[in-house]
Amino acid sequence: MRNLWIFITKYNAFFLFLIFEISSLLIYIKYNSFQKASFINSTSKVTGTLYSQVDALKEYLSLKETNDSLARENAKLRGQLKVSMYVDSVEKHKVNDTVYKQQYSYIVAKVINNSFNKRSNYITINRGSRDGIQKDMGVITGAGVVGQVIDVTDHLAIIQSVLHKNTRFSAMLTSTKDIGSFVWGNDLDPHKGLLIDIQNNAQPKVGETVVTSGYSLFPTGIPFGKITNLHAKGGGLLINVEVALAVDFTKLQYVYVVNNKFAGEQTGLEAVQNKNE
């Protein structure tokens, strides 16, 4: 307190000048309409700018909540698409009643760890068995196929990425519906894959989209990417083509885990059939 009093005493002339200056300025503005209007206008601009900056900061701080909300909404909407339904046709009283019923639903998850520069790459997400995630479920984004769930705990799950040496999914050409297998290439490029084992009579085109066939974990028509090269090595009697991946694995943030209602039933039937053979 003593030091403060010494400081004020030492610079009392300056403080008196400051008080008189502010007082005169306020009186000048108060009793002159033009200056008063100008002052209010300037103050409004400064205040508006300040409010805009504060609002922008609030929006930035709430981005996580906004992204989570949008991802959940996208998962809900994706489940309502026709590709996520199956047709239940019943002939009753000689009238065909075709009803679309839900086959696929989607569980949104945030990526919390991701590798893309190794020979075998994995992705960790923040959803697990308590959220309905099970082993062998397919995983996608809004852009295309991401991979397959290979391990699950209560709160987390591990995905074997498309960028993995052992990944192989059934895929097809959008134009001719010719079926092949989608694998990752040997050059470790996180932006390219291969559609292999296409029949020789198929006629793939550069720029054509390669999508899921519906024979595996995903609904029909989920993109793998677009053909960039029709002469990939190692085709032999079959055709191999290079594909630019639809998903940018270097920027993954949110994914959708595909819940196929018929997956268990299909797997059980196919297991019995294989055993009988």
Side-chain angles (χ1 to χ4, degrees):
M1 189 67 183
R2 180 172 177 275
N3 290 334
L4 178 61
W5 178 250
I6 293 172
F7 177 78
I8 293 173
T9 305
K10 184 176 181 180
Y11 295 100
N12 64 83
F14 171 75
F15 288 120
L16 283 172
F17 170 77
L18 197 61
I19 292 170
F20 288 140
E21 188 72 18
I22 293 173
S23 299
S24 60
L25 184 62
L26 290 175
I27 293 170
Y28 178 70
I29 291 171
K30 183 177 180 180
Y31 295 102
N32 290 274
S33 57
F34 176 77
Q35 283 75 14
K36 184 176 182 179
S38 299
F39 177 76
I40 292 172
N41 185 50
S42 299
T43 305
S44 298
K45 288 182 179 179
V46 173
T47 305
T49 302
L50 181 61
Y51 284 158
S52 296
Q53 295 296 327
V54 171
D55 187 58
L57 178 61
K58 287 181 179 178
E59 287 185 358
Y60 177 78
L61 294 176
S62 64
L63 275 178
K64 182 181 182 302
E65 292 181 5
T66 302
N67 287 337
D68 288 345
S69 176
L70 288 173
R72 287 193 297 270
E73 185 67 21
N74 286 338
K76 182 179 178 180
L77 291 174
R78 180 174 286 276
Q80 296 173 3
L81 294 175
K82 186 177 288 188
V83 71
S84 299
M85 309 290 181
Y86 72 98
V87 179
D88 186 8
S89 298
V90 180
E91 186 175 349
K92 183 177 181 181
H93 303 299
K94 297 183 179 180
V95 176
N96 288 326
D97 180 22
T98 302
V99 180
Y100 287 97
K101 295 186 177 180
Q102 186 95 28
Q103 179 175 352
Y104 298 96
S105 59
Y106 302 87
I107 304 166
V108 65
K110 183 173 177 56
V111 173
I112 59 176
N113 194 23
N114 176 29
S115 66
F116 49 82
N117 56 2
K118 304 175 183 177
R119 191 68 189 95
S120 301
N121 293 291
Y122 300 92
I123 300 164
T124 306
I125 57 175
N126 68 341
R127 294 287 183 268
S129 58
R130 291 191 177 183
D131 304 291
I133 307 293
Q134 298 178 16
K135 188 177 178 182
D136 295 328
M137 284 182 168
V139 184
I140 63 175
T141 68
V145 177
V146 170
Q148 176 180 356
V149 175
I150 60 167
D151 200 7
V152 183
T153 64
D154 286 348
H155 304 288
L156 302 171
I158 301 294
I159 299 164
Q160 181 175 297
S161 169
V162 164
L163 310 181
H164 192 286
K165 63 181 181 180
N166 295 330
T167 294
R168 179 182 289 255
F169 295 121
S170 178
M172 70 178 181
L173 301 171
T174 50
S175 59
T176 62
K177 311 302 180 187
D178 283 286
I179 304 295
S181 295
F182 193 88
V183 299
W184 193 30
N186 294 318
D187 55 359
L188 304 185
D189 189 334
H191 302 290
K192 291 195 303 184
L194 292 172
L195 176 63
I196 64 172
D197 299 342
I198 295 289
Q199 294 296 321
N200 275 321
N201 59 356
Q203 297 180 336
K205 302 176 182 64
V206 171
E208 181 175 0
T209 303
V210 176
V211 299
T212 54
S213 64
Y215 293 167
S216 55
L217 314 173
F218 312 95
T220 304
I222 305 298
F224 284 102
K226 292 185 177 181
I227 296 174
T228 56
N229 186 351
L230 299 176
H231 306 288
K233 295 180 181 180
L237 298 176
L238 300 172
I239 299 174
N240 292 351
V241 296
E242 284 186 0
V243 177
L245 295 177
V247 175
D248 187 347
F249 285 86
T250 66
K251 299 178 181 179
L252 280 181
Q253 290 187 315
Y254 289 89
V255 296
Y256 303 111
V257 182
V258 183
N259 180 18
N260 181 359
K261 289 176 62 177
F262 300 153
E265 185 178 344
Q266 180 179 346
T267 301
L269 277 173
E270 291 174 349
V272 171
Q273 183 62 32
N274 291 335
K275 184 176 180 181
N276 290 337
E277 291 178 354

